[in-house]
Amino acid sequence: MAQQAYVTETDNDGSEPESQSSRFRRLLGRLTTGWRGDPRIWRRGLVVAVLALLLALLMVLHSRIPNAVGNLGSLIETFLPWLGLSIPVLLVLALVRKSATALIAVLVPTIVWLNMFGGLVTDKAAGGGDLTVATHNVNADNADPSGTARDVAASGADVVALEELKGAVVPTYEDALASTYKYHSVEGTVGLWSKYPLSAVRPVDIKLGWTRAMRATVTTPAGQVAVYVAHLPSVRVKLEAGFTARQRDKSADALGEAIADEKLPRVVLLGDLNGTMNDRALNAVTAQMRSTQGAAGSGFGFSWPASFPMARIDQIMVKGVEPVTSWTLPETGSDHLPVAARVKVDTSS
């Protein structure tokens, strides 16, 4: 009588499910197959190694790139953190080429990038603070100014700066913010709304011929603060002219002079500066003030364009007050994201 054999089937032909670690080891094994004992691992991938070193030099020496031709230096500095995206590409190329030389070379731009921007990735926010401020370029063509105003007011900010205000739409913002902010002033295309009294309000000449900057004293419970609101001229990237920013640079110098001449020891700058903290063209301002995002934020805090933020050109900077936390607010009807920060005005304790 013939015996019948029975076989129990499993989903993987009788084998145990492969773990994630096993898959990773198998993949790593495939990538490293042929490396051991191969003297060519030091000779291959020289082009990748050179590219990695050039990338590191570009990041380290970005301030030496001349602005004489199309403001190339400022253009690179505006998007400087994004150069880090080249590192994974170079790493993959080094692995594909099975080049130890290239792998070691890729470590150089990795270390440089982490040294320059690694601190921005960590969360540096702290508790406390006695004043919350926010700034927003509302976009002159905003289809929902009332909604944008309500969104910014909902942030809980004690002081709000708005830029790119059309004269005809200013009453709409005033009406939408009146219930939250008792005090406000508008100078040209910029405005300041505050829960605390404003005094010594005046326009600030940033060499444009019309008003896009202002200054006011805000009397907070913790003391007086000089608040500046500014909207520096826009920059353009043109094929025939490169990164055109001459007027922006001139206005930045004028704004820096005004802040340097400020008599009050506590200063807060709110606004759309059309430039990042890395851009040398803003040195007249950035050399004397701290970025709240850099000092107390989490991540890069990119604010523009709102649909896919790639750069932080909307800034909150301080002098004589201590940043506690800094963040980006949700998208409104503008092409910029609002940004906010909480600071400590009374630093005596």
Side-chain angles (χ1 to χ4, degrees), residues 44-45 65 109 134 147 162 174-175 205 222 272 318 326 341 348:
R44 286 194 297 257
I65 301 172
L162 300 182
E174 291 174 330
D175 292 342
D205 182 12
D272 173 8
V318 298
S326 186
S348 59

Side-chain angles (χ1 to χ4, degrees), residues 76-99:
I76 291 174
E77 287 166 340
T78 298
F79 301 102
L80 196 59
W82 291 94
L83 291 179
L85 292 179
S86 303
I87 295 174
V89 176
L90 292 170
L91 176 60
V92 170
L93 290 175
L95 290 172
V96 170
R97 292 289 295 143
K98 298 181 180 179
S99 168

Side-chain angles (χ1 to χ4, degrees), residues 102-167:
L103 281 175
I104 294 172
V106 170
L107 287 175
V108 180
T110 303
I111 293 170
V112 170
W113 191 93
L114 289 174
N115 184 60
M116 295 177 68
F117 303 111
L120 293 175
V121 179
T122 59
D123 188 352
K124 299 174 289 298
D130 45 35
L131 181 69
T132 301
V133 298
T135 181
H136 190 23
N137 180 326
V138 296
N139 188 358
D141 298 321
N142 193 322
D144 184 19
S146 295
T148 294
R150 288 192 298 269
D151 289 342
V152 175
S155 69
D158 303 307
V159 177
V160 170
L162 300 182
E163 303 88 48
E164 208 164 293
L165 293 169
K166 267 186 178 179

Side-chain angles (χ1 to χ4, degrees), residues 171-224:
T172 303
Y173 286 101
E174 291 174 330
D175 292 342
L177 296 170
S179 61
T180 306
Y181 301 98
K182 184 177 180 180
Y183 309 95
H184 87 278
S185 179
V186 176
E187 297 284 346
T189 61
V190 297
L192 189 66
W193 277 258
S194 174
K195 295 179 180 179
Y196 307 123
L198 302 178
S199 61
V201 180
R202 58 175 174 81
V204 174
D205 182 12
I206 55 173
K207 311 301 181 185
L208 282 175
W210 69 95
T211 302
R212 281 175 53 151
M214 63 179 290
R215 180 257 183 225
T217 297
V218 179
T219 304
T220 78
Q224 289 189 327

